[in-house]
Amino acid sequence: MSISVATKSGPTPPQDALAQDFVQFAVDCGVLRFGEFKIKSGRISPYFFNAGLFDDGAKLGRLAQFYAQRLLQSGIEFDMIFGPAYKGIPLGAALAVELARLGRNVPFAYNRKEVKAHGEGGTLVGAPLKGRVLIVDDVMSAGTAVRESIAIIRNAGATAHAVVIALDRQEKATEDGLDVAHSAVQYVKNQLGLQVCSIAKLADLMQYLEQHSAGGSAIDHQRVLIYRQRYGVEEG
């Protein structure tokens, strides 16, 4: 399910209840934090999302529920799940378990970073890659993991069909150290031709901060707003 994103002078977008619940969950788990963080692009971000802190069974199970709910809402069709190493491996596995619990049992595979020379060998583990493959990851910063996943999937004779992520930062990507007009998500959609859905977006995070404006949240909201005005992209 996609939601509209307001321009700097436009209307407030409709609230996405699932996204708001997810943002609250991520804050409660310490996965979503506010302050000053140097991110992969080299920018200093006023917020940071660390999916590695979904670090116990209850948190991972709840996270998988969010992924599954968003996928069901999106209407995206797929035949199997692929979790790119490393963070995508537990995310994809947890999602596969949750979908099976909901009555949809789909194959799951993942890759290794290193080629295994003994046993089954190779870099792929799990079900054979075939049909329309859904890639599962946490946050798409530069689209590198997705491009690597597409190459693996195509080399196996399958089709990279869609991507589901936890958070869409909705910010300009960088190429050769320079900002570009599109985000990594937009690049994957428009240039690579894959469907992309996210549990939540930066716009949802902004709404969350607006609704929790007491205390330090007002300062966090202002910092995220300034960051978004500088690096944000319009949806479309």
Side-chain angles (χ1 to χ4, degrees):
M1 183 176 84
S2 62
I3 60 172
S4 59
V5 178
T7 62
K8 295 171 187 176
S9 59
T12 301
Q15 188 174 99
D16 181 331
L18 181 65
Q20 291 301 309
D21 288 346
F22 176 70
V23 172
Q24 183 66 68
F25 170 62
V27 170
D28 292 344
C29 292
V31 169
L32 180 58
R33 294 180 292 152
F34 302 95
E36 291 190 355
F37 307 92
K38 187 171 183 179
I39 59 176
K40 191 172 183 179
S41 64
R43 298 170 186 155
I44 302 299
S45 173
Y47 71 98
F48 186 65
F49 184 86
N50 181 6
L53 295 178
F54 290 120
D55 55 5
D56 63 34
K59 293 172 187 173
L60 194 57
R62 185 71 182 104
L63 175 62
Q65 291 176 353
F66 280 111
Y67 271 109
Q69 286 180 265
R70 181 59 84 212
L71 274 172
L72 293 174
Q73 288 181 0
S74 75
I76 291 174
E77 297 181 354
F78 58 95
D79 301 309
M80 68 174 297
I81 294 169
F82 179 76
Y86 288 105
K87 285 185 180 179
I89 297 174
L91 298 178
L95 174 58
V97 170
E98 176 61 17
L99 288 174
R101 190 186 70 82
L102 295 173
R104 185 173 183 196
N105 187 28
V106 296
F108 166 64
Y110 63 91
N111 69 303
R112 299 186 182 94
K113 290 284 189 180
E114 304 82 14
V115 177
K116 186 177 181 182
H118 59 280
E120 73 276 16
T123 60
L124 291 173
V125 183
L129 289 171
K130 60 182 179 180
R132 299 164 299 181
V133 180
L134 172 73
I135 301 167
V136 184
D137 215 338
D138 55 350
V139 177
M140 196 185 301
S141 300
T144 304
V146 171
R147 288 194 293 269
E148 291 174 351
S149 297
I150 290 172
I152 292 169
I153 292 165
R154 287 179 176 169
N155 287 340
T159 301
H161 183 67
V163 184
V164 60
I165 57 175
L167 180 67
D168 179 358
R169 290 181 61 98
Q170 294 183 294
E171 69 179 70
K172 297 174 182 177
T174 58
E175 294 178 4
D176 299 321
L178 300 175
D179 295 342
V180 294
H182 57 262
S183 69
V185 167
Q186 290 171 331
Y187 176 83
V188 169
K189 284 181 178 179
N190 301 329
Q191 302 300 318
L192 301 183
L194 275 66
Q195 298 181 68
V196 181
C197 74
S198 59
I199 303 172
K201 302 180 180 181
L202 177 57
D204 301 308
L205 174 54
M206 295 293 296
Q207 286 188 338
Y208 172 86
L209 290 172
E210 288 170 4
Q211 294 168 4
H212 297 77
S213 58
S217 292
I219 297 174
D220 293 331
H221 177 267
Q222 185 63 24
R223 288 173 175 168
V224 175
L225 178 61
I226 292 170
Y227 185 85
R228 187 185 186 192
Q229 288 173 338
R230 180 172 181 182
Y231 296 115
V233 296
E234 300 295 340
E235 280 295 277

